[in-house]
Amino acid sequence: MPKRLASTATLPLEQEPLTQSSTLRRAAVLLPLPLAGAYDYRFAEEMALEPGSVVSVPLGQRQVVGAVWEFLPEDGRAEAGAGPASAKPLRLEKLRPVAEVFPVPPLTAVARRFLDWVADYTLAAPGSVLRMALSAPAALAPPRATTLYRRSAAPLPEGFRMTPARRRVLDLLDEGPARALSETAAAAGVGPSVVKGLAAAGLVEAVSLQREPSFDSPDPGRPGPALSDQQGEAADQLRQAVAAEAFSVTLLDGVTGSGKTEVYFEAIAAAIAAGRQSLVLLPEIALSAQWLERFEARFGVAPALWHSDLSSAQRRATWRAVAFGRAPVVVGARSALFLPFPDLGLIVVDEEHDAAFKQEDGVTYHARDMAVVRAQLGEIPAVLVSATPSLESLNNVRGGRYRRLELPLRHGGAQLPAVELVDLRQDKPPRLQGLGPGGPQSGAQAWLSGRLRAAIAETLAAQEQGLLFLNRRGYAPLTLCRACGHRLQCPNCTAWLVEHRLAGRLQCHHCGFASRLPKACPDCGAEGSMAACGPGVERLAEEARALFPEARLAMMTSDTLTGPGAAAELVRAVQARDVDLLIGTQIVAKGHHFPHLTLVGVVDADLGLYGGDLRAAERTYQLLHQVAGRAGRAERAGRVLLQTGEPDHPVMQALAGGERDAFLEAETEARRSAGLPPFGRLAALVLSSPDARQVDGLAAALARTAPRQEGVTILGPAPAPLAVLRGRHRRRFLIKASRGLRLQSLLSHWLAGHKLPSNLRLQVDIDPYSFL
C-alpha cells in the first residue's frame, strides 16, 4: 500500500456544504502522478464507492482522475497493513470531497496489489505505476449514444402522401432491425431528409442506444492444425495448468519452427472455454501479422490488440472492453500487462528472452518478470516461450521454480538449417567491379564475401528466397571528413550521426535529432570531403542491387516499416514470393515463417559481442540463432552463413556446432563465478542534468554517503557511456550485491537523505539490461 500524504492539496479552496443526512467516510485516493503516496478525501456513503473505484477528485485548482486505494477510519488512522500517515490527518469535514465516480468497474484487489508490488520493486512512485493502468482517460466516460431509427406502431396519418422513396424506407425498417440514419438512407436509396420526414410524421421513431465496445468471442472448439505427439503432450500439460486455476510457470522451450505458438494456443482455448481472459505479450506487436493470421485461423476471430500504434479511439475501445470483460484474448506489447483485467486466467510471454520486454524510460521494469508476479498474485498460470530461453528462466527451471516443456524437433519433418562460418580474415569481401550508373562506384568497398555472394546466386537460381541480416539501421553508422578526420556528432548526445540516405538526412538514434548531410566539412571547410564509413542495411541493399540486378529486393527495418499495416503488407509480399532477397535488421528475426526462404546470410555476426554488456554473448547468440531459424522452415533445406572475424569465439562455435545447451551452461558458470545475474543482484542509478557541474556535485555527494556493507559493491560515479543524452549530462552508479540482499531497502535508505533540485533527475533501474 502506498503511504498517505498530508498536504495542502487536500484542503478545500472553499468549504463544500455538508448535508445533515449524509454519512461521511474517508478514502485514500491514489492519483496517477509522480507522488509518493495517496491523498485522503471524504465521500458520502450513498456514492457507493468501492476499493478500486475510479474517481475524479479536486487537486489544487483542477480535477484529476484517481483510484480509491482503501477506506480509512473517520480519524484517518491507517487500517492494518496500510502504514502510518506522514502527518496528523485532517479532520473528516476538512477534507475535500470525491467529485465523481466513473461508471467503469473498479480495479480488482489483485490489480491493486500488482501495482503496489511493481512500485515497491522498481522504487517508482505508486502514482506513476497507476498511470500505466489508467492510460486511456477517454475510456472512463461511457460511449456516446448512437441514434437509430426503427418502424413505429403509429398508423398512417390522414392525408399523408406515400411516395416510393418513403415506402422503401418503411419496407426496409419493417423487415429488419433499427439502423443508423446514414445506413437507413443508403440501404433504401434515399436522402437522409426522407427518413427525418418520416420520423416527424410519427411513422419512424428515433431511439438512442449506447454501444459498449466488445470483441467477438473466439471459438475454442474450432479445429486447429494437427499436432505432433510431442506438441500434443505439451498442449495437454498447458491445458492442465489452466484447469488447475493455480499459480505455475511453464517454460515452453522449442527449436525455431517447432510449432510453439500452436501449442500455447491450446492453453488459450482452455482459458476461453473456462470463461476467463488471456493475455499474450509479444516483443514486437507491430510486426505480428503472421501471429494474428494464425490466431484467426485457429479461433475464427481476431483478438484485441494493445500497442502504441493504436489510435486513441482504438485504445479507448480496447481498454473498456478489457475492463468490462468483453475482450476474451488480448495480444499486446509490455504495457498490456497493466490493463484492468477483471478475470485474467492465463498469461503467455512469447519470445521471453527478448530485451524489448525491458522498459527503459519512466517506470523501469521487465515485462517478463512482472508477468510472473501478476500470475502469482492472481493465482493463474504463466507460460514463457522461446527457442533461446534467457539464463534467468533456465536458472529458475534448475531451481524447480519453473517447469520446462521441450519441443526439440521442427514441425512437419523440416530440418534445422546447416550453419557455416565465413572467416573474414581469409575470405575478405572483394571490391565491387564493373558496375553500371546509379549504384556504388566501381572499386568501392564491399561487405559480402565471395562465399556469401555465391550462395545468394545459387539460391536465386533455384528460385528460392534469401535473407541478408545486418543489425544496423541506415546507410552508414559514421560520416567523417577525408581531409581532417572530423566526425559528425549529435549536438545533443555523445553519439555519432547515422546517415539515412533514403531519407536524405543524418539522424541521431538516441534523441531523434536530424539534419542534412553538409556539402562541406563543418570543421575544416573542405567541400565534397564527407565520406560514409561502415555499412548499414541501406548500404548493404545498394551492394546487393549492384551484384544481383534482376533480384527483387525489400528492406525490413523499423525505418521502412511505418506501422502494423506496412509490416503486414511486406510479410504478405514475401509469402507470395514477390520478394527474392530480403534485407533487414533484428525485426526479421521475430517469429516470421517464410516457407520458401532457404538462405540466411549474416553480414556482421560479431556486431554486439562487446561493449560492456554482461549479456552481450547471450544476446548475440539468441539473436543470431533466431535469425538463422528463418531458413528452411518447410520442405526445402536451409543454409546459414555467418560472416565473422572471430570464428573461434564461443558464440560462433556454438552456433556452427548446434551446441546451444553447452554454450548456455558455460555462460551460466561464468555468471555464477562472477556473482552476476541471475546469481547476484544489480541496480543502476543514473543522474542527469543540463548542468554538468550540478550533476557532478550531486554524484559526489551521493558517493560520500554510499552504503558500505558486506556483500555490496558500488561502482562509480562515472560518466555514462552515453555521457550526454538529449542535452542532459549523465553520471552512473552501478550497485552489485549478493542474491539474498534486498537492494530496494538499501537504495531507499541511501537516497532518502538527498534532496534533488527540480532540474536534476534520478533514475533507479533494478535489474538493468542497458548499460548506456
Side-chain angles (χ1 to χ4, degrees):
M1 168 68 199
K3 68 180 179 181
R4 289 165 41 233
L5 304 176
S7 165
T8 53
T10 61
L11 291 171
L13 293 173
E14 55 183 62
Q15 186 65 50
E16 292 84 356
L18 304 178
T19 62
Q20 293 297 322
S21 59
S22 295
T23 301
L24 298 179
R25 296 194 62 186
R26 181 188 298 260
V29 178
L30 187 62
L31 308 178
L33 300 169
L35 304 171
Y39 285 126
D40 288 4
Y41 289 88
R42 61 176 165 85
F43 68 96
E45 232 175 30
E46 52 265 31
M47 289 189 80
L49 287 187
E50 302 176 50
S53 291
V54 183
V55 296
S56 175
V57 294
L59 183 69
Q61 300 284 348
R62 59 191 175 123
Q63 293 287 323
V64 296
V65 173
V68 174
W69 226 243
E70 67 169 346
F71 295 149
L72 301 167
E74 184 178 326
D75 62 5
R77 287 177 297 179
E79 295 176 352
S86 59
K88 184 178 179 180
L90 293 170
R91 290 169 53 194
L92 185 59
E93 62 273 15
K94 294 287 187 180
L95 295 175
R96 302 186 74 181
V98 173
E100 179 185 1
V101 184
F102 289 102
V104 295
L107 299 177
T108 65
V110 170
R112 300 196 308 278
R113 286 168 58 205
F114 176 59
L115 298 180
D116 282 341
W117 199 99
V118 173
D120 181 66
Y121 187 84
T122 63
L123 295 184
S128 296
V129 182
L130 175 64
R131 185 173 182 176
M132 296 191 292
L134 301 180
S135 57
L140 301 177
R144 291 181 180 177
T146 301
T147 301
L148 303 179
Y149 290 83
R150 67 185 180 190
R151 185 73 160 91
S152 73
L156 197 68
E158 186 176 348
F160 182 80
R161 189 168 68 89
M162 181 63 68
T163 65
R166 289 171 171 173
R167 172 53 59 194
R168 290 198 300 275
V169 173
L170 295 178
D171 289 345
L172 175 72
L173 296 179
D174 276 335
E175 297 170 359
R179 299 170 181 248
L181 176 62
S182 59
E183 182 186 355
T184 304
V190 302
S193 60
V194 176
V195 182
K196 292 179 179 178
L198 288 169
L203 297 175
V204 168
E205 61 181 356
V207 293
S208 183
L209 179 67
Q210 279 188 339
R211 289 181 174 175
E212 280 287 354
S214 64
F215 291 85
D216 293 333
S217 296
D219 180 5
R222 182 182 172 97
L227 301 181
S228 68
D229 290 344
Q230 285 183 336
Q231 288 176 316
E233 291 174 9
D236 286 341
Q237 293 289 316
L238 295 184
R239 290 190 198 99
Q240 292 172 21
V242 173
E245 296 187 349
F247 170 64
S248 66
V249 184
T250 302
L251 176 62
L252 184 57
D253 179 4
V255 300
T256 55
S258 60
K260 298 182 291 295
T261 303
E262 284 69 23
V263 169
Y264 72 68
F265 275 177
E266 298 309 305
I268 294 174
I272 295 168
R276 307 196 71 183
Q277 294 171 295
S278 297
L279 169 64
V280 181
L281 298 180
L282 298 179
E284 294 282 353
I285 185 62
L287 303 172
S288 59
Q290 288 188 318
W291 190 97
L292 294 172
E293 288 176 3
R294 292 184 198 177
F295 185 93
E296 194 159 350
R298 171 63 179 84
F299 295 106
V301 299
L305 294 177
W306 186 262
H307 55 81
S308 59
D309 287 321
L310 295 180
S311 68
S312 58
Q314 290 171 320
R315 291 176 68 84
R316 178 188 182 281
T318 301
W319 194 96
R320 285 187 71 85
V322 170
F324 282 93
R326 301 191 184 102
V329 181
V330 179
V331 56
R334 56 183 179 249
S335 60
L337 194 57
F338 296 91
L339 287 170
F341 293 95
D343 190 18
L344 189 58
L346 171 69
I347 302 176
V348 177
V349 184
D350 205 343
E351 309 287 3
E352 64 88 25
H353 65 276
D354 201 294
F357 283 124
K358 181 63 189 276
Q359 170 72 32
E360 300 287 358
D361 297 322
V363 179
T364 57
Y365 66 93
H366 198 297
R368 176 199 62 218
D369 300 339
M370 296 304 106
V372 171
V373 172
R374 177 64 176 83
Q376 185 173 27
L377 293 174
E379 299 182 352
I380 61 174
V383 181
L384 311 182
V385 186
S386 180
T388 53
S390 64
L391 289 190
E392 285 80 1
S393 293
L394 290 173
N395 187 56
N396 279 318
V397 169
R398 290 189 191 95
R401 293 175 289 277
Y402 299 175
R403 67 170 175 172
R404 176 160 61 173
L405 301 176
E406 296 183 84
L407 297 174
L409 302 176
R410 280 190 160 181
H411 185 62
Q415 299 298 310
L416 289 170
V419 178
E420 308 167 30
L421 301 181
V422 179
D423 188 346
L424 291 178
R425 299 171 301 180
Q426 307 296 328
D427 190 356
K428 295 181 180 179
R431 290 188 174 270
L432 301 175
Q433 302 293 335
L435 303 179
Q441 295 180 352
S442 182
Q445 185 175 1
W447 314 102
L448 300 178
S449 65
R451 196 163 147 202
L452 182 51
R453 293 182 191 184
I456 296 170
E458 291 171 11
T459 301
L460 297 177
Q463 296 186 327
E464 296 172 350
Q465 294 170 310
L467 164 64
L468 293 178
F469 173 78
L470 177 62
N471 200 23
R472 186 181 278 150
R473 294 161 52 201
Y475 185 84
L478 174 65
T479 302
L480 58 75
C481 175
R482 293 192 190 96
C484 71
H486 176 74
R487 302 180 178 193
L488 296 181
Q489 182 173 323
C490 175
N492 305 317
C493 309
T494 47
W496 309 123
L497 292 175
V498 177
E499 181 181 359
H500 286 255
R501 191 162 290 187
L502 291 178
R505 66 173 184 261
L506 298 166
Q507 184 177 332
C508 175
H509 287 173
H510 299 285
C511 73
F513 171 85
S515 68
R516 294 282 182 182
L517 181 67
K519 295 180 180 179
C521 174
D523 195 47
C524 72
E527 294 192 3
S529 64
M530 305 310 296
C533 296
V537 284
E538 292 179 13
R539 197 170 194 177
L540 184 61
E542 183 182 76
E543 179 179 346
R545 287 192 183 95
L547 293 170
F548 308 102
E550 302 302 319
R552 296 166 297 175
L553 270 64
M555 283 200 298
M556 194 173 197
T557 76
S558 57
D559 298 306
T560 58
L561 301 181
T562 54
E569 186 57 38
L570 178 56
V571 168
R572 281 191 289 269
V574 178
Q575 288 178 311
R577 306 184 74 176
D578 294 332
V579 174
D580 299 316
L581 192 57
L582 185 63
I583 299 172
T585 57
Q586 63 181 359
I587 61 175
V588 302
K590 311 271 185 175
H592 299 294
H593 178 76
F594 301 130
H596 301 285
L597 197 154
T598 59
L599 174 69
V600 168
V602 177
V603 175
D604 186 354
D606 306 327
L607 191 64
L609 277 178
Y610 303 103
D613 182 351
L614 70 94
R615 296 180 178 86
E618 177 192 4
R619 288 165 69 165
T620 299
Y621 178 88
Q622 290 167 338
L623 179 60
L624 296 183
H625 183 97
Q626 292 282 344
V627 74
R630 300 315 102 201
R633 294 172 69 93
E635 64 274 6
R636 296 172 174 83
R639 183 184 181 193
V640 180
L641 273 68
L642 305 180
Q643 294 190 160
T644 173
E646 297 190 50
D648 296 326
H649 193 285
V651 169
M652 302 305 150
Q653 289 296 308
L655 289 164
E659 299 293 337
R660 186 200 80 167
D661 291 344
F663 166 74
L664 293 176
E665 186 61 37
E667 275 291 295
T668 298
E669 288 308 311
R671 298 263 193 96
R672 192 196 311 271
S673 63
L676 293 172
F679 306 101
R681 303 293 308 279
L682 288 180
L685 301 183
V686 181
L687 300 164
S688 69
S689 169
D691 186 335
R693 287 186 298 179
Q694 181 190 46
V695 76
D696 284 333
L698 182 61
L702 277 171
R704 286 192 293 270
T705 60
R708 292 170 175 82
Q709 66 183 72
E710 186 177 353
V712 177
T713 301
I714 297 180
L715 305 175
L722 270 174
V724 182
L725 179 64
R726 302 184 186 97
R728 300 181 68 87
H729 298 269
R730 305 169 74 240
R731 304 293 182 262
R732 285 182 65 100
F733 289 87
L734 185 65
I735 299 92
K736 180 185 173 192
S738 57
R739 185 69 192 168
L741 190 142
R742 179 171 163 77
L743 277 175
Q744 289 85 349
S745 299
L746 180 142
L747 294 175
S748 296
H749 181 75
W750 179 18
L751 300 175
H754 296 271
K755 184 173 178 61
L756 299 185
S758 59
N759 64 339
L760 197 148
R761 297 175 194 160
L762 170 62
Q763 182 185 48
V764 179
D765 187 356
I766 305 292
D767 307 324
Y769 264 58
S770 171
F771 295 87
L772 296 178

